[in-house]
Amino acid sequence: MSYGSGADSPELSASKLPGPRGAKGGAAGKGSDTPGRTGDAPGRTGGSPGGGRARKGSSGGGGSAMSVRPWIAAGFLVPAIVLLGTLVVYPIGYSLYRSFFDAAGTGFVGLENYVQVFSGDGFTAVKNTLVWVIVGPSVATAFGLLFAVLTERVRWGTAFKMVVFMPMAISMLAAGIIFGLVYQQDAERGVANAAWVTVHDTFAESSPWPGARPRPDSGLAESGGGSYTTESAVDREGGATDLPLVGVPPQELADAEPAKKPTARDRAGDEVVGTVWLDFTRGGGGESGAIDQREKALSGITVEAVRGGEVVASAETGDDGTYSLPAEAEGAKLRLPASNFAEPYGGVNWLGSTLVTPSIIASYIWMWAGFAMVLIAAGLAGIPRELLEAARVDGASEWQVFRKVTVPLLAPVLGVVVVTLMINVLKIFDLVYIIAPSATQSDANVLALELYLSSFGGGGNQGYGSAIAVVLLLLVVPMMIVNIRRLRRENRR
Amino acid sequence: MSTSSPPRPGAPRPSLGSRIAALTGGTATRLVLVLIALVWLLPTAGLLGSSFRDSADIADSGWWSVLGDPGQLTFGNYEALLYNETITDSLFVTLMITIPSTVLVIVVASLAGYAFACLEFRGRDWWFLLVVGLLVVPVQVALLPVSKLFDLVGLFETTPGVVLFHTAFGLPFAIFLLRNFFAEIPRELLEAARLDGAGELRLFFRVVMPLGGPAIASLGIFQFLWVWNDMLVSLIFADAGSPPITVALQQQVRQFGNSIDVLAPGAFVSMIIPLAVFFLFQRQFVSGVMAGAIK
């Protein structure tokens, strides 16, 4: 509930419950925070302390000027009563009634539909809704708190707030499409995976030639874990140690340099040299195991010299496919480690069955953190500066000030934000319906979606759907009671 | 920043950590905020970027490649959208739903709000409590019963049906908001008008409605956006043959991978009005959304 606690924010005072007419001077003063309203009520400061009660006395004679004939009041209320009665109140009753009957609507089944919600078809939806209610509001509120605190003393904080608050303006459908794009699996297309793969590949080197492998008769043998090692030790006298590979689609090498034999100059010293290349001539021809004219170099391949199980030297092939190992490599075996050939890291399957719900919750947080931020910023503005200053003067660090002073003072606002978001999250439908691909829709299911699917989306069990509707309603009843009690309290004041 | 002031004599020396924080805090905070803002903008930028690329480019690479190769940018998708009758019609349908729903809510709720705020009648507080109780009722409760009801009276899958549904579910909040606002109108104004012999209707139109301007503006903006952005209600109650924009786009979503060239510009077009409202009427927008979030 945004009213009450947010009294210090001009934006929020419209939603505040000022208490009907009899509002005390104090309450009226708070209400006049809204600039628009101050102007509207020039006479209020004088008139409000007395409120309605004083007026009754003054009108005297034939009763209060406020009392009107019942039919006049009824006239004003009828349109609202008719609409609310037929489209809101009656449906509540009908859903409740319908939830006790079977799919056909003829057989009374007692609580069976409710059992089905909690332990049958609806179980995933109940579980996910629970995850949503716990995670979504708290994380959105945490972000809102962080943003509100960070922007407080930054001059362009308003611009930042606009950026974060903007998603509140757009539809959940648009947000769903936006995040459908973000979560696209292909790292070439979805920005989430593009970022993730970039981070991943920064720490784990990506392989230059996935899928490449030696020719069977090339003298290279599989040596475990996807690496290949020469069968015989290097013998410099025998000339260059060339390592032919196959298995790379030629089109990937269209721009590569032609493979080159190491020149005599490369061998001037004691180096062990050789070429790694794609031993495949496009269009046929070419001799197996020999570097033919049109065959392409494989650059960036790591070549290790291994002796007695230990790497004694390593080198990487250049653009022309040649490598050059120092003299220690003499007599060692050459190994092409598996990192040369590993499949590229494909990123995270954001919308797969395990991550689909957290991913969609993230999109919700993107939409609603701004809401939390604005409410919390309003609360923050109401905290007396002196309190914070006093704590700082006493030597408290910024973190301690935040933890021990700011947060406790904000607790009521934080509570209001969390509860409001919880109510909001219960009804979440569009985001899940749009973002979750059909394959994992059942993994991402929530109550509001399950209701739609069962009653309208071909599920065809309206008794069960009605039971879900009633469950959703029951979940917000505590909030309903809080609203009503708050109103009555304000009325009594 | 207050933290940068030198420690006062007598006060404990601030810890090293807090002094470092004080020195770097300003810059670090700004940097973090800029990063967060970029992250927050990124998804929308992705939609915008994608909407200006043709389908071959979309299939080929990420939208960010336009940064290196702005030559890809094309209005082609938007041009195609212009000739896509489903989409253009759906925008019209959306307006036909949104405008009447907004006007109706304002009219009906103003009347009721006036009665609750300015008239004495028996049981008034109980009726108002009922309205407050209805504030948080989720629309899901009414979907099935109202669809049966509408089916019975021929309103199912019609625009008036959608309008009525939105109006009804907009009412509790609207009445609540307006009643509270009207209640703050100085009694003296109403008294004076009544003594001059003005009837209640005249009072309503000449005194209360003009004074209610700010609240009605907030309410109008909130309701307009609420209905404009709705998908669920229209999914069920609107004619699937001529749906509003949200449903029209939703119908394309199932083939997500290969309909981005329609979805991205379509979604962006559907966002233009809400974003315009957001930037033009920021104050009313914020107060409307804040107040309305209790729905």
Side-chain angles (χ1 to χ4, degrees):
Chain A
M1 309 308 306
S2 43
Y3 46 85
S5 56
D8 293 299
S9 144
E11 291 93 337
L12 303 173
S13 49
S15 67
K16 196 161 62 76
L17 260 181
R21 297 151 305 127
K24 286 191 203 140
K30 264 195 204 166
S32 63
D33 285 349
T34 316
R37 264 202 258 176
T38 332
D40 291 336
R44 182 165 44 188
T45 4
S48 51
R53 271 143 248 164
R55 174 187 28 79
K56 262 189 187 171
S58 69
S59 60
S64 161
M66 294 276 290
S67 322
V68 291
R69 287 186 205 88
W71 63 264
I72 294 185
F76 278 96
L77 285 171
V78 156
I81 290 178
V82 168
L83 279 168
L84 286 174
T86 49
L87 301 181
V88 184
V89 177
Y90 156 76
I92 294 176
Y94 180 88
S95 285
L96 191 61
Y97 164 84
R98 185 69 181 77
S99 69
F100 296 116
F101 287 84
D102 60 12
T106 47
F108 181 83
V109 294
L111 291 175
E112 203 171 285
N113 288 323
Y114 291 90
V115 173
Q116 201 185 344
V117 174
F118 286 102
S119 58
D121 300 354
F123 181 69
T124 321
V126 170
K127 198 186 71 190
N128 282 335
T129 303
L130 204 65
V131 172
W132 269 90
V133 168
I134 292 169
V135 177
S138 48
V139 176
T141 308
F143 271 111
L145 178 62
L146 178 74
F147 298 168
V149 170
L150 286 184
T151 49
E152 209 195 358
R153 281 175 292 181
V154 175
R155 213 167 328 123
W156 39 267
T158 316
F160 176 86
K161 282 180 185 161
M162 266 174 76
V163 168
V164 176
F165 198 73
M166 187 204 64
M168 293 246 12
I170 67 172
S171 62
M172 293 244 177
L173 167 92
I177 293 174
I178 285 175
F179 274 83
L181 283 168
V182 167
Y183 291 135
Q184 273 186 305
Q185 177 60 48
D186 187 345
E188 291 290 307
R189 293 158 68 189
V191 72
N193 258 347
W196 185 259
V197 168
T198 306
V199 171
H200 178 275
D201 287 352
T202 309
F203 294 106
E205 223 170 301
S206 63
S207 65
W209 302 110
R213 59 181 189 279
R215 273 197 184 284
D217 52 353
S218 63
L220 277 165
E222 169 89 55
S223 54
S227 64
Y228 298 98
T229 309
T230 50
E231 281 156 351
S232 52
V234 177
D235 173 17
R236 208 164 49 223
E237 299 309 309
T241 312
D242 296 333
L243 305 168
L245 298 178
V246 291
V248 179
Q251 56 269 25
E252 280 187 22
L253 281 167
D255 301 330
E257 284 187 27
K260 209 179 72 171
K261 279 185 190 298
T263 58
R265 195 154 47 84
D266 291 333
R267 283 198 275 176
D270 295 332
E271 288 93 350
V272 170
V273 292
T275 306
V276 182
W277 85 105
L278 184 68
D279 189 15
F280 175 83
T281 306
R282 220 169 172 178
E287 189 189 333
S288 161
I291 303 175
D292 294 303
Q293 216 170 23
R294 282 181 300 143
E295 291 180 347
K296 299 281 193 168
L298 293 172
S299 61
I301 284 194
T302 306
V303 183
E304 293 172 342
V306 185
R307 187 185 286 130
E310 270 179 52
V311 178
V312 293
S314 100
E316 204 169 275
T317 58
D319 286 344
D320 57 4
T322 58
Y323 66 90
S324 167
L325 286 162
E328 295 95 296
E330 173 69 13
K333 287 183 173 184
L334 295 189
R335 181 167 75 182
L336 301 178
S339 62
N340 289 322
F341 314 114
E343 284 300 321
Y345 179 63
V348 176
N349 192 1
W350 299 103
L351 301 180
S353 57
T354 39
L355 279 181
V356 64
T357 295
S359 296
I360 302 174
I361 292 179
S363 70
Y364 174 84
I365 290 164
W366 177 76
M367 285 191 88
W368 284 81
F371 167 81
M373 175 189 68
V374 170
L375 271 186
I376 294 170
L380 215 52
I383 293 181
R385 300 287 101 185
E386 307 84 64
L387 276 177
L388 305 180
E389 278 309 310
R392 287 191 189 114
V393 167
D394 287 347
S397 69
E398 282 303 306
W399 171 247
Q400 283 172 319
V401 172
F402 174 76
R403 185 70 197 75
K404 299 279 166 64
V405 184
T406 311
V407 169
L409 285 174
L410 277 180
V413 181
L414 295 178
V416 164
V417 172
V418 168
V419 170
T420 307
L421 290 181
M422 278 179 170
I423 301 226
N424 182 275
V425 144
L426 280 178
K427 297 176 277 186
I428 210 76
F429 165 80
D430 313 32
L431 281 180
V432 182
Y433 189 58
I434 299 297
I435 297 179
S438 5
T440 51
Q441 194 187 52
S442 58
D443 297 300
N445 209 349
V446 290
L447 281 177
L449 177 60
E450 175 75 359
L451 182 152
Y452 174 78
L453 294 175
S454 63
S455 297
F456 302 95
N461 189 345
Q462 302 186 338
Y464 171 57
S466 299
I468 299 175
V470 173
V471 169
L472 280 177
L473 182 68
L474 287 178
L475 288 172
V476 298
V477 160
M479 220 37 236
M480 215 182 254
I481 293 169
V482 168
N483 274 351
I484 290 175
R485 285 175 65 175
R486 195 190 299 249
L487 180 81
R488 299 190 69 173
R489 201 166 54 234
E490 303 255 357
N491 268 349
R492 268 199 298 274
R493 245 208 328 221
Chain B
M1 272 182 56
S2 51
T3 45
S4 58
S5 61
R8 299 180 195 183
R13 225 171 110 79
S15 68
L16 182 67
S18 71
R19 273 183 295 154
I20 292 174
L23 280 176
T24 59
T27 323
T29 306
R30 284 172 177 76
L31 206 70
V32 168
L33 284 178
V34 168
L35 276 177
I36 295 171
L38 286 179
V39 168
W40 236 256
L41 283 174
L42 201 63
T44 321
L47 181 79
L48 193 61
S50 301
S51 73
F52 285 106
R53 306 176 73 215
D54 64 34
S55 48
D57 283 334
I58 290 173
D60 192 49
S61 57
W63 56 268
W64 51 88
S65 59
V66 301
L67 299 177
D69 175 17
Q72 304 174 1
L73 294 176
T74 162
F75 282 98
N77 293 337
Y78 287 93
E79 236 173 271
L81 213 60
L82 217 58
Y83 296 106
N84 183 335
E85 272 181 33
T86 321
I87 301 290
T88 48
D89 287 356
S90 71
L91 281 169
F92 180 70
V93 173
T94 294
L95 280 176
M96 292 304 291
I97 292 172
T98 311
I99 293 172
S101 309
T102 309
V103 173
L104 261 179
V105 158
I106 291 177
V107 170
V108 175
S110 301
L111 289 169
Y114 176 76
F116 282 126
C118 307
L119 301 178
E120 292 278 8
F121 56 93
R122 229 151 50 95
R124 182 184 69 176
D125 290 348
W126 288 107
W127 283 105
F128 189 61
L129 281 186
L130 179 68
V131 172
V132 172
L134 295 180
L135 267 177
V136 289
V137 172
V139 288
Q140 277 88 354
V141 177
L143 295 179
L144 181 67
V146 173
S147 67
K148 286 184 179 288
L149 198 68
F150 278 178
D151 205 20
L152 218 62
V153 294
L155 282 172
F156 193 54
E157 303 200 329
T158 67
T159 300
V162 183
V163 168
L164 284 179
F165 191 91
H166 277 306
T167 307
F169 270 85
L171 275 179
F173 166 65
I175 295 174
F176 174 72
L177 183 81
L178 292 182
R179 177 266 189 197
N180 287 344
F181 198 86
F182 292 162
E184 296 211 356
I185 292 173
R187 297 301 108 187
E188 293 74 19
L189 270 180
L190 301 179
E191 300 290 316
R194 284 197 181 103
L195 286 178
D196 288 348
E200 294 299 332
L201 263 183
R202 198 180 156 77
L203 217 61
F204 173 72
F205 282 115
R206 289 296 161 84
V207 181
V208 176
M209 285 298 266
L211 286 182
I216 290 176
S218 284
L219 170 65
I221 285 176
F222 175 77
Q223 176 76 7
F224 182 88
L225 287 182
W226 180 269
V227 177
W228 181 281
N229 284 337
D230 161 77
M231 181 182 82
L232 177 58
V233 173
S234 291
L235 202 55
I236 290 165
F237 294 110
D239 178 5
S242 59
I245 180 80
T246 46
V247 177
L249 289 174
Q250 181 272 330
Q251 290 168 348
Q252 307 269 347
V253 167
R254 281 301 142 210
Q255 317 93 10
F256 195 92
N258 44 30
S259 55
I260 295 173
D261 54 326
V262 180
L263 279 179
F268 197 73
V269 164
S270 83
M271 287 160 56
I272 286 175
I273 299 273
L275 288 180
V277 169
F278 173 66
F279 286 113
L280 291 179
F281 306 102
Q282 199 134 15
R283 186 180 192 85
Q284 290 88 341
F285 175 83
V286 171
S287 63
V289 170
M290 286 293 139
I294 52 177
K295 267 176 84 162

